[in-house]
Amino acid sequence: MAKVTLISYTPQPEKTIASAAKLCYSPASIEEIQEGLTEEKTAAFVDMLAEIGHESPIEHASFTFGIEGVSRSLLAQITRHRLASYSVQSQRYVKEKMFEFVLPLEIEAVPEAKEEFLRAMEEDQRHYDRLTEILTEKHVPEFLAQGKEEKEARRLASKKAIEDARFVLPNACATKMVCTMNARSLMNFFTHRCCNRAQWEIRELATQMLRLVLEVAPNLFKNAGPSCLRGACPEGKMSCGKQREVRDTFIKIKESAQ
């Protein structure tokens, strides 16, 4: 299961957003925009922005997450959310001595499927190790010919070898990343990825991220989550058909964060 940590975030995120909104709707100067912004008035500004659909002020608050224990398959999905910043552990520079992997629950629940999956992971590791060994031996003479000492030549050869050996690693291979999104992008992320139609791994990740931001900006994210929390399901015939159940789940999540 993914482990998510909220590493940092804009100090007083809701007040920062309210300050930006106040500037839009009042003659206040920069020096004055935070004057009188009590908790109640800050919450009122945040609520007003949600009510009228004015989303640009919420871009002024950003949140940085540390994410680990997720698959390379999830990485391909989350990076489709382009208004974000990502730093990902590199398979090019970090050798996978015994790579960790994500085991899907549906596979784990069936002994025969789990056995087949684990066998595939073991085989992938063997292929990776063998390819690294073969390619390292190929590259060592190249670096020796460049005048490198034996130890340095082997280090450089191994580093070059894993650049190509990594191609055999599976989508299940676990990775780590640091991800930063502004609040507006997070809202969009939660809308799409907290939905039951989202793939299970990224849905679990999105829900964990939502729990964390609710603790530090409860007014801002109180309406965050799948579209069906705010109206009819937009999925049409592809709907999961569990709108009431989904709403109950997110009500509990938000109550637990209070």
Side-chain angles (χ1 to χ4, degrees), residues 49-66:
L49 293 174
E51 183 179 345
I52 66 177
H54 187 185
E55 297 181 334
S56 61
I58 70 175
E59 294 177 12
H60 294 290
S62 62
F63 301 80
T64 298
F65 304 89

Side-chain angles (χ1 to χ4, degrees), residues 42-236:
T42 293
F45 264 113
V46 171
D47 288 344
M48 178 196 71
L49 293 174
E51 183 179 345
I52 66 177
H54 187 185
E55 297 181 334
S56 61
I58 70 175
E59 294 177 12
H60 294 290
S62 62
F63 301 80
T64 298
F65 304 89
I67 301 170
E68 53 190 324
V70 295
S71 70
R72 302 290 292 196
S73 177
L74 180 142
L75 176 62
Q77 295 179 71
I78 196 172
T79 51
R80 291 173 187 160
H81 295 269
R82 295 183 293 277
L83 296 181
S85 299
Y86 303 97
S87 296
V88 182
Q89 188 174 72
S90 174
Q91 288 181 334
R92 183 183 178 193
Y93 294 103
V94 180
K95 185 176 181 181
E96 298 287 357
K97 295 180 181 178
M98 276 299 293
F99 71 83
E100 296 179 355
F101 53 84
V102 175
L103 175 59
L105 293 177
E106 292 293 330
I107 292 178
E108 187 175 23
V110 182
E112 184 180 3
K114 181 179 179 180
E115 182 181 349
E116 185 69 23
F117 184 89
L118 295 178
R119 186 160 50 244
M121 297 301 102
E122 292 171 359
E123 289 177 2
D124 283 343
Q125 183 70 62
R126 284 198 297 272
H127 291 312
Y128 175 83
D129 291 342
R130 182 59 179 147
L131 284 168
T132 300
E133 180 184 342
I134 293 170
L135 293 173
T136 297
E137 293 306 316
K138 173 184 182 295
H139 296 318
V140 166
E142 301 169 8
F143 289 107
L144 290 174
Q146 295 174 18
K148 305 293 184 184
E149 296 292 332
E150 175 74 22
K151 184 176 180 181
E152 178 67 4
R154 287 209 161 268
R155 185 186 72 80
L156 293 172
S158 176
K159 179 176 175 294
K160 186 174 181 180
I162 65 176
E163 291 185 15
D164 293 319
R166 64 184 169 146
F167 277 72
V168 78
L169 293 173
N171 272 340
C173 191
T175 191
K176 304 172 186 176
M177 73 185 84
V178 171
C179 169
T180 301
M181 293 187 189
N182 68 49
R184 188 178 189 180
S185 293
L186 269 175
M187 292 290 196
N188 177 267
F189 178 72
F190 294 143
T191 294
H192 292 284
R193 302 302 185 173
C194 288
C195 174
N196 272 3
R197 290 273 296 140
Q199 187 260 355
W200 65 269
E201 187 183 15
I202 200 167
R203 185 173 68 247
E204 289 182 359
L205 172 67
T207 303
Q208 283 196 56
M209 291 167 66
L210 177 57
R211 289 181 188 273
L212 291 172
V213 296
L214 278 167
E215 293 178 4
V216 297
N219 293 304
L220 177 59
F221 292 103
K222 67 182 179 182
N223 295 317
S227 298
C228 63
L229 301 184
R230 301 177 293 277
C233 174
E235 295 289 334

